[in-house]
Amino acid sequence: GGLLVIVFIGFLNHFRSMYYEPANAAAAPLPISRWCVAPMALALVPLVVFGFWWPEPLWRFFAAIRLGLAGSAP
């Protein structure tokens, strides 16, 4: 899951550069506003939080999935 968030942040950065940076490479780069960085920062917050702590309902949910998958194994 965490790797997917990192890939998503990479895509956000790529799309930001496609839409907000000038097409002419010789042109002066535009300053990056806080609005361009906000989606990447917001995507980083759950990655860090869930990297250190999982809420109890999520533990129970994943445990139920694990038990369901283990019960269907041959």
Side-chain angles (χ1 to χ4, degrees), residues 40-73:
M40 291 184 280
L42 289 175
L44 181 65
V45 169
L47 176 68
V48 170
V49 168
F50 290 135
F52 292 107
W53 172 78
W54 285 93
E56 184 62 30
L58 282 177
W59 277 110
R60 283 186 264 126
F61 176 70
F62 292 138
I65 292 173
R66 179 182 51 85
L67 291 174
L69 291 174
S72 65

